[in-house]
Amino acid sequence: MSKGWQLTLILCLLGLFALFYQGLWGDPRHIPTVLIETDAPNFEGPDVETGQTISLEQFKGKVVLLNFWASWCYECKVEHESILQLHQLFKDNPEFVMLGVNYQDELPDAQKYLKEYGSTFSHVRDLKGQLAIDYGVYGVPETFVIDQQGKIRHKWVGPITGEVYTNITQKVIAPLLKAQPTTTTTS
Amino acid sequence: MIIEIGHFSTIVALVLSVFGMASAALALKTRNPDWARSGRMAITLIFVLLGVGMLSLVYAFIIRDFSVLYVANNSNSKLPFFYTVAAVWGGHEGSLLLWVFILSVFSTLAVWLHWRTQPTIMPYLIAVESAIIFGFLCLIVFLSSPFERLLPVPLDGKDLNPLLQDPAMVMHPPMLYMGYVGFSIPFSFAMAALFSGRLGEEWIKVTQRWSMFAWMCLTTGILLGGYWAYYELGWGGYWGWDPVENASFMPWLVGTAYLHSVLVQEKRKMFKVWNLFLIIVTFSLSLIGTFLVRSGVLTSVHSFATDPERGLYILIFVGTVIGIAFGALILRSNKLKSQVEMDSLVSRESIFLFNNLFFLVAAATVFLGTLYPLILETLQDAKVTVGPPYYNAVFMPIALGLLFLMGIGPYIPWRKASVASLKKSFSTPLLAGAVIVVLLFVTGIHNLYALAGGYVVTFAGMAIVLDFGKISQLYAQRNGSNIFQGGLAAFTANQRRYASMLTHIGVLVLVVGIIASTVYQTEKVVSMRVGDEFAIGDYRMKLAKIHEVAGGNWNAQEGVFQVFKGEDLITELRPQKRIYSATQTPTTESAIYATKMGHVFLTMPEVSEDGVAVARGVLNPLVLWVWGGGVIMGLGVILNILRPRKKEE
């Protein structure tokens, strides 16, 4: 019998245990926030609905809200109404841009999702998950707020509803825009 | 005082597990059967002592003794009685104790049941089982004791995790553990075979019922977990490819491969190394699953305490077991050459080979997906999760392939099949599948997975029905009875075969449930105020009111939804958003209306201060088939285990 499989087996096991050992010293609940106050990684990708290329660079000098979502994500549906409402709140401000990032999804599913739940702003497809890796996204939904200088100023893991909504609109976005939001009701 | 008795018994059990290993070694060295007998006694006593340990912990929970740290962490004075007992395995320490207790029950059963028929193997079995028990007891006694006292005594406990306060959760962990631990018996026999050099088919025949039992428990545990996720987590789905779910699914996949491939060794003396490899992998994955869940290496909805020290210990232990097992396999591999070669690619052997390949690829897929975030984090310090699309994309074709093999496997002869016999067996099922696809298509089902699923399910189901029908008829003719009596006679005469086929039918039912409820799930999320309504499918849901309700240890906002079909009010659904008092943890309690064909599922995940509620309605067609299929599968396995022993077994 060839020795090949035996060696492979040993190497696989050693690799696995090295990995597990290394993994022990990380905290699974710790989500890196090193990105806060750093430059938002640039990206480029096709629009989910039109297919045209969207890049972050074209919005330089504006406050950008990035919302990572996927059609298979349950919490995204929960936050969807308030996300639309948030857009409604600031969309008239020329300094504000909102972008959805469609993450780990099938294009038809994503399009169907937007059709069904409504879409008032553009969504870029994260084709290879590279964008999510650059932003350290570890699940959906996740939301980032980028300021006029292109620095990440806020990150939220989980749905934007209730208090989180009030906080992100009043304490994060409004001060950046130096604007008073007219309404703050949430759903 | 009682808890100290439990603590003390557990320590004595630890000492006895060392004694068990030593006496097994002495039995092998001196060939004196008295040593083996003392080893058997040690295992039995460990079971009794751990039973005392378990009972003392149960007692501490029942009297709500918050001076015990573990009780204080996992119980509360307002926790309903039902859950105070289940809380014993609601946390890290207690669930480990349950693990090793079940292990001691199975070990004791194994040494007594197989004592007379397997005398030479017994010392090895005792050694392996004592060693595993020793490993777990060290962890419990030195690092994760559930018997520790807490000073000063708190007035009240922190309460059991609200998500675990659910009937399905009471049975889910013990069933899973019985599955994991159940595989330790075939594993121990396999190790005994490797160490003793008795590498024939015997260990496989002896452990067959054990493997089936373990498999059934694991299946039940997984399905119960799915049921829990379905209505308690408010997913509206039952499977989310969460790392911890995957941890239980991987041993299931490899265990299923093992259950099939042992048949080849039994009948054709092939796959010797392979079967040993599979059972080692199955049990290793059970242990790795425990490690993944208990060490906090992965991020998951199952929020367990993370502690690198414990994690490191479990890793060393798991590594030792796996290292020794694979080491023994590698050292013995030159002795394990099969004498028999495969005759033809068109034979039952080769179908089993493909079956194994598919199951292993499936397991590897899940394994990679589960560990990918960890790999990436180690190499790049980035956090990612692998979402359902990855698993669904890779898994669907594998599952369809497996179902197809399931239709062919039982009806293709060993060694070599002729084309004529294949035509005879499979032309009707193949045709029936095609007919179903056309029918489905005409009735408006155009989804590719649904059509492909419909095809293979019909094909495999038809093959089973035709074969059984034919045999039943033969029996009916021979006995001059009607077809039902003939069927019964056919079943009892070939109980092993037809019990397995019943399990296969259960799988088919489950698959129909999964396909229908995932592909044809309708879902709607809306925000609404009292008086608003929304439509989903044929149903209209009107939010009549939102009011406060209170349970023993929780308060909730309950939405009262009137459900209309057409103009008729058919029922009222009351989903809740609960807050558990002790922990202030919110949970969503779903409300379900069962229709003939499926479920109307409603949750209310958000209620804002100004009275706007987010409601989520889901129509899950045929979802009950998922669990119905599970019941049929279990029934098949039970009939298989209870079949009368034949002489050659």
Side-chain angles (χ1 to χ4, degrees), chain A residues 1-3 5-7 9-10 13 16-32 34 70-75 77-82 103-106 112-113 116-117 128-130 132-140 142 159 161-163 185-187, chain B residues 233-235 273 277 288 291-292 295-300 302-304 306 308-309 311-312 315 318-319 322-323 326 329-330 333 336-337 367 371-372 374-378 380-389 393 523-527 588 603 605-606 608-610 612 614 616:
Chain A
M1 187 165 290
S2 83
K3 295 272 170 250
W5 68 269
Q6 300 161 345
L7 197 64
L9 185 64
I10 293 170
L13 287 176
L16 189 62
F17 283 105
L19 180 68
F20 282 160
Y21 179 80
Q22 191 60 37
L24 276 177
W25 313 108
D27 174 5
R29 309 224 157 262
H30 166 77
I31 295 153
V34 282
S71 66
W72 44 267
C73 148
Y74 158 52
E75 302 266 288
K77 290 165 193 162
V78 171
E79 75 164 1
H80 198 88
E81 290 249 352
S82 18
Y103 166 67
Q104 286 192 11
D105 218 338
E106 300 288 336
K112 194 175 145 223
Y113 177 96
E116 209 167 305
Y117 293 98
K128 291 181 185 146
Q130 192 56 46
I133 292 173
D134 288 345
Y135 278 81
V137 169
Y138 104 113
V140 270
E142 265 187 39
T161 51
E163 270 175 42
T185 49
T186 95
S187 55
Chain B
L233 287 185
W235 290 349
V273 184
F277 175 78
I288 289 176
F291 167 73
L292 291 179
S295 65
V297 163
L298 297 171
T299 315
S300 140
H302 294 65
S303 51
F304 295 120
T306 73
E309 203 181 317
L312 183 63
L315 183 63
V318 172
I322 297 177
F326 280 116
L329 181 67
I330 287 171
S333 58
L336 280 161
K337 234 175 181 169
F367 197 70
L371 291 186
Y372 178 72
L374 185 60
I375 297 171
L376 202 72
E377 198 189 333
T378 307
Q380 291 196 354
D381 198 27
K383 281 267 181 187
V384 290
T385 49
V386 176
E523 183 191 32
K524 216 161 203 181
V525 182
V526 287
S527 41
T588 45
T603 54
E606 280 282 333
S608 73
E609 277 160 27
D610 53 348
V612 180
V614 176
R616 174 168 179 259

Side-chain angles (χ1 to χ4, degrees), chain B residues 202-216:
Chain B
E202 201 159 11
W203 72 272
I204 280 181
K205 288 184 184 159
V206 174
T207 56
Q208 229 204 14
R209 286 180 164 87
W210 280 107
S211 316
M212 281 191 191
F213 173 74
W215 184 85
M216 181 181 76

Side-chain angles (χ1 to χ4, degrees), chain A residues 75-99:
Chain A
E75 302 266 288
C76 300
K77 290 165 193 162
V78 171
E79 75 164 1
H80 198 88
E81 290 249 352
S82 18
I83 287 287
L84 291 179
Q85 197 177 344
L86 196 153
H87 185 239
Q88 205 60 30
L89 203 58
F90 295 110
K91 74 173 188 331
D92 296 329
N93 191 318
E95 267 192 67
F96 179 75
V97 173
M98 201 156 153
L99 281 179

